[in-house]
Amino acid sequence: MPAHLLHATVRKLYSDAKYDWWELAEEAAITVDGVSYVIPAGFVSDGASVPFWVPDWLIPRAGRSFLPSLGHDWLCSLAIVPEETANAWYYTALQDAGVPQWQVELMYSYCETYAVFRYGELVKNDL
């Protein structure tokens, strides 16, 4: 049986290309809108996607936010659920992991803003 994501084990990757990345050491389970998913062992993430100019104490890439960020990366990389659903799951997972509420709000807001900049132009070109 896979570990629950917030209790899963990760291991540091040591390579030149991904010096600050980690991989999931075991399968991990998450539930999104009542549907259970298993994230396979070996899934790789850099934790929270934070602009380089944001200090780590404000929005940490690792720590309590790491495993929810890994789950969000997995959901978004495979487009398993709509982006709004993945972001809502992320918000709750950050709270469940014990991330301070002010950081949850900043991290969630960044996800929403990032999506506009990343996908806004694609949507506009599809019209």
Side-chain angles (χ1 to χ4, degrees):
M1 172 176 248
H4 182 276
L5 179 61
L6 296 183
H7 303 287
T9 303
V10 295
R11 70 181 145 244
K12 179 88 169 102
L13 294 179
Y14 293 98
S15 74
D16 293 336
K18 296 187 175 186
Y19 67 92
D20 60 348
W21 289 59
W22 298 74
E23 73 177 339
L24 195 57
E26 59 186 328
E27 290 184 337
I30 63 172
T31 302
V32 181
D33 281 351
V35 179
S36 294
Y37 299 98
V38 174
I39 304 172
F43 181 76
V44 175
S45 176
D46 64 345
S49 299
V50 178
F52 71 91
W53 47 268
V54 174
D56 196 51
W57 61 264
L58 185 61
I59 301 179
R61 294 175 55 94
R64 292 177 189 223
S65 66
F66 182 79
L67 289 171
S69 296
L70 182 144
H72 186 255
D73 286 352
W74 183 77
L75 288 169
C76 292
S77 70
L78 298 176
I80 291 177
V81 297
E83 183 179 351
E84 298 81 23
T85 304
N87 289 350
W89 175 87
Y90 184 51
Y91 186 91
T92 302
L94 288 168
Q95 290 177 316
D96 292 347
V99 174
Q101 189 62 34
W102 65 271
Q103 284 182 337
V104 171
E105 298 296 334
L106 282 174
M107 296 174 83
Y108 178 78
S109 296
Y110 180 70
C111 279
E112 294 290 304
T113 304
Y114 178 75
V116 169
F117 287 107
R118 182 171 182 192
Y119 302 112
E121 190 64 31
L122 293 174
V123 172
K124 191 165 138 185
N125 287 338
D126 288 342
L127 297 176

